[in-house]
């Protein structure tokens, strides 16, 4: 027991400086819908971001967007524009803004804000006070979107 | 009472069903209104479409023939229930109501206001179950209630949706409208975002409809049972990660009135079939 407590205490000390660097959801600074600085200070992982974007319980971007790069996945939605070539249309900062909180870029959009943890009504209890994606997942998705060039 | 599956078996061979996006919903020669000009009180939509229009051919086909429509198994259960004695008074529905067909015209006009309260068909049935039969109330969307309300609503099939929204119904209608346009849940969406702004679009594998309730209660292939309006509202709210209102709640009743009014002019299709 003692060694386990020690081990977890040690892990917490190690982890905390990293966590402290994440910009908290409601502290993200938007300028014209874009977010200049990384939310984590860490480079995003495009391969990881592809998985996050695809995951039905995570980004679930295919619910609304077609994406030729995910051709192997069945059923792409058509509520939003195709994601093909988004990196040609938007800068990294703009994409970070769109994924964090698209309402800052597209007023009244149906697209969910993936990095807010407050300001929505009647959430299911298990999602209360939580953002859909973590800061690193947002960065990973942005890194992935930057690979979508035509 | 005569049961459906026995009654329709004989004419099964007669109807050759064909379904498609532009096809007509006709059952035993009766043609249903599945597309009609929107009523004046709808500000952002010009044409109403039945949810049937958006379903895949195979799903559409199941609604074209009562013999193929799995809902009728449940309607037959409700016909048995109709004659079943329950409660302290030793009565069944048939003790007092001669024929369920007498309820024609009820579904198309519900919910309605009675003594200042908005009542749904479920409320009306439960009033008989508790006050007149002396039995425990049936669960709002339980199997017994879903089947019985489907059977009663079916008596209005082909009639035109026509709920009252003025006078003492107005405040309930306004409340329902407000709920329809209010964003909820972690995904922060309103009913209108999907069913008004995006009907006709695919959302993943689902072809979004206008979220009409003229076919309710209806059979869903997904759970192989009769589904109620409030059950469906609950499902849509959970999908956007919102805490749903309770079935039978004032909120869902008001929403039901408002959505029924957004279907004014469509035919009642109960029991419809959906995926």
């Amino acid at each position: 027991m003692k060694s386990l407590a020690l081990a977890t205490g040690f892990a917490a000390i190690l982890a905390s400086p990293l966590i402290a660097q994440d910009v908290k959801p409601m502290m993200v600074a938007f300028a014209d819908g874009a977010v200049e600085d990384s939310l984590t200070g860490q480079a995003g992982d495009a391969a990881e971001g592809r998985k996050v974007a695809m995951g039905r319980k995570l980004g679930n971007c295919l619910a609304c967007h077609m994406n030729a790069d995910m051709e192997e996945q069945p059923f792409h939605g058509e509520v939003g524009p195709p994601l093909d070539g988004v990196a040609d249309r938007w800068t990294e900062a703009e994409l970070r803004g769109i994924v964090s909180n698209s309402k800052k870029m597209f007023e009244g959009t149906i697209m969910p804000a993936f990095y807010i943890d407050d300001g929505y009504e009647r959430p299911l209890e298990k999602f209360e006070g939580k953002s859909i994606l973590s800061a690193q997942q947002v960065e990973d998705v942005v890194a992935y979107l930057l690979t979508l060039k035509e | 009472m005569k049961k459906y599956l026995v009654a329709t078996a004989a004419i099964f061979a007669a109807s050759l069903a064909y379904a498609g996006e532009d096809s007509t919903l006709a059952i035993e020669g009766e043609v249903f209104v599945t597309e009609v000009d929107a009523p004046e009180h709808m500000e952002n939509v010009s044409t109403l479409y039945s949810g049937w229009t958006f379903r895949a051919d195979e799903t559409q086909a199941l609604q074209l023939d009562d013999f193929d429509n799995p809902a009728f198994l449940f309607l037959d259960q409700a016909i048995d229930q109709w004659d079943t004695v329950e409660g302290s008074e030793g009565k069944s529905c048939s003790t007092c109501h001669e024929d369920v067909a007498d309820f024609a015209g009820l579904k198309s006009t519900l919910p309605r206001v009675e003594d200042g309260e908005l009542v749904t068909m479920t409320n009306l049935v439960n009033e008989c179950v508790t006050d007149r039969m002396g039995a425990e109330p049936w669960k709002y969307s339980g199997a017994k209630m879903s089947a019985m309300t489907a059977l009663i609503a079916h008596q209005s099939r082909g009639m035109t949706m026509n709920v009252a929204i003025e006078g003492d119904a107005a405040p309930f209608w306004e409340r329902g409208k407000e709920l329809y346009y209010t964003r909820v849940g972690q995904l922060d969406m309103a009913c209108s975002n999907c069913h008004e702004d995006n009907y006709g679009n695919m959302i993943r594998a689902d072809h979004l409809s206008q979220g009409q309730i003229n076919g309710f209660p209806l059979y869903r292939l997904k759970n192989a049972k009769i589904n109620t309006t409030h059950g469906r509202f609950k499902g849509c709210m959970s999908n956007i990660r919102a805490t749903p209102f309770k079935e039978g709640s004032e909120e869902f009743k008001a929403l039901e009135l408002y959505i029924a009014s957004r279907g004014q002019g469509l035919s009642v299709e109960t029991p419809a079939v959906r995926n």
Side-chain angles (χ1 to χ4, degrees):
Chain A
M1 282 320 283
K2 205 168 130 205
S3 62
L4 184 66
L6 264 176
T8 45
F10 185 54
I13 291 163
L14 262 187
S16 57
L18 291 180
I19 289 167
Q21 276 176 21
D22 289 357
V23 179
K24 295 268 177 294
M26 304 326 274
M27 303 297 285
V28 179
F30 289 86
D32 294 331
V35 176
E36 206 59 48
D37 297 327
S38 164
L39 302 178
T40 61
Q42 304 237 69
D45 175 340
E48 201 50 44
R50 189 174 189 277
K51 283 187 221 153
V52 173
M54 206 148 69
R56 281 170 191 266
K57 304 226 143 125
L58 293 169
N60 199 19
C61 315
L62 288 181
C64 296
H65 294 283
M66 285 184 249
N67 180 359
D69 179 57
M70 293 183 181
E71 221 169 31
E72 79 280 8
Q73 295 291 314
F75 309 122
H76 296 204
E78 52 191 22
V79 170
L83 291 180
D84 307 346
V86 280
D88 301 325
R89 295 192 291 279
W90 303 96
T91 65
E92 179 182 333
E94 286 168 337
L95 289 171
R96 185 177 291 110
I98 291 172
V99 177
S100 300
N101 185 356
S102 54
K103 290 178 183 96
K104 304 274 184 183
M105 185 71 82
F106 312 116
E107 204 191 316
T109 184
I110 186 178
M111 178 165 156
F114 289 94
Y115 198 59
I116 58 168
D117 61 4
D118 195 12
Y120 43 71
E121 302 296 317
R122 296 184 71 84
L124 278 172
E125 212 172 13
K126 62 179 168 178
F127 298 111
E128 189 144 11
K130 298 203 171 113
S131 57
I132 303 171
L133 299 181
S134 70
Q136 193 55 49
Q137 286 171 329
V138 171
E139 289 305 322
D140 294 346
V141 169
V142 170
Y144 168 65
L145 293 175
L146 285 169
T147 68
L148 301 180
K149 295 197 161 121
E150 272 174 332
Chain B
M1 226 182 306
K2 222 163 50 171
K3 293 218 193 163
Y4 292 105
L5 294 187
V6 184
T8 52
I11 48 163
F12 172 54
S15 65
L16 234 181
Y18 165 79
E21 183 105 353
D22 306 314
S23 60
T24 307
L25 172 54
I27 306 171
E28 286 165 27
E30 185 179 4
V31 176
F32 291 72
V33 177
T34 54
E35 180 181 341
V36 69
D37 285 348
E40 287 209 344
H41 59 79
M42 280 177 75
E43 291 139 32
N44 312 317
V45 173
S46 55
T47 309
L48 306 187
Y49 299 98
S50 157
W52 180 84
T53 333
F54 300 89
R55 306 291 33 107
D57 290 4
E58 316 83 77
T59 313
Q60 285 190 335
L62 289 173
Q63 202 181 313
L64 295 179
D65 192 309
D66 293 347
F67 188 70
D68 294 337
N69 184 337
F72 281 92
L73 281 168
F74 296 86
L75 266 62
D76 279 345
Q77 287 171 11
I79 288 174
D80 288 336
Q81 184 65 43
W82 182 259
D83 293 320
T84 304
V85 172
E86 242 192 64
S88 58
E89 304 303 305
K91 289 178 171 143
S92 72
C93 313
S94 56
T95 312
C96 303
H97 300 286
E98 203 175 319
D99 190 340
V100 71
D102 297 340
F103 291 136
L106 200 52
K107 151 83 185 175
S108 43
T109 54
L110 290 178
R112 69 177 183 226
V113 179
E114 275 180 16
D115 304 323
E117 268 190 66
L118 189 61
V119 298
T120 62
M121 190 184 294
T122 306
N123 296 145
L124 290 170
V125 171
N126 255 344
E127 197 179 306
C128 287
V129 170
T130 56
D131 299 2
R132 299 193 174 103
M133 295 168 74
E136 286 296 310
W138 295 354
K139 195 163 171 273
Y140 201 92
S141 290
K144 257 201 282 193
M145 186 60 88
S146 311
M148 185 60 79
T149 50
L151 175 66
I152 295 172
H154 176 59
Q155 310 310 312
S156 305
R157 189 167 74 173
M159 297 173 83
T160 305
M161 291 286 285
N162 185 25
V163 287
I165 63 172
E166 278 159 14
D168 51 6
F172 297 100
W173 185 83
E174 290 292 347
R175 176 78 179 115
K177 181 177 178 184
E178 182 193 327
L179 288 163
Y180 190 83
Y181 287 102
T182 302
R183 288 180 183 252
V184 289
Q186 193 195 34
L187 303 195
D188 200 29
M189 290 179 197
C191 315
S192 59
N193 286 133
C194 286
H195 294 301
E196 180 169 284
D197 304 341
N198 279 293
Y199 68 84
N201 285 331
M202 296 299 292
I203 186 159
R204 203 78 197 229
D206 273 313
H207 197 190
L208 278 171
S209 74
Q210 291 180 339
Q212 297 285 358
I213 55 173
N214 57 313
F216 277 84
L218 52 71
Y219 180 86
R220 286 191 71 186
L221 299 163
K222 180 183 168 176
N223 54 20
K225 62 171 189 172
I226 300 286
N227 290 244
T228 62
T229 47
H230 293 200
R232 189 44 138 145
F233 298 171
K234 210 172 137 182
C236 279
M237 287 186 78
S238 306
N239 283 344
I240 50 177
R241 300 185 175 179
T243 303
F245 297 106
K246 295 226 168 350
E247 289 171 323
S249 63
E250 293 306 317
E251 288 88 353
F252 272 172
K253 288 198 286 180
L255 200 50
E256 181 176 342
L257 172 65
Y258 178 66
I259 295 178
S261 84
R262 292 175 65 97
Q264 307 278 54
L266 292 173
S267 306
V268 171
E269 289 175 25
T270 316
V273 182
R274 299 286 185 267
N275 45 300

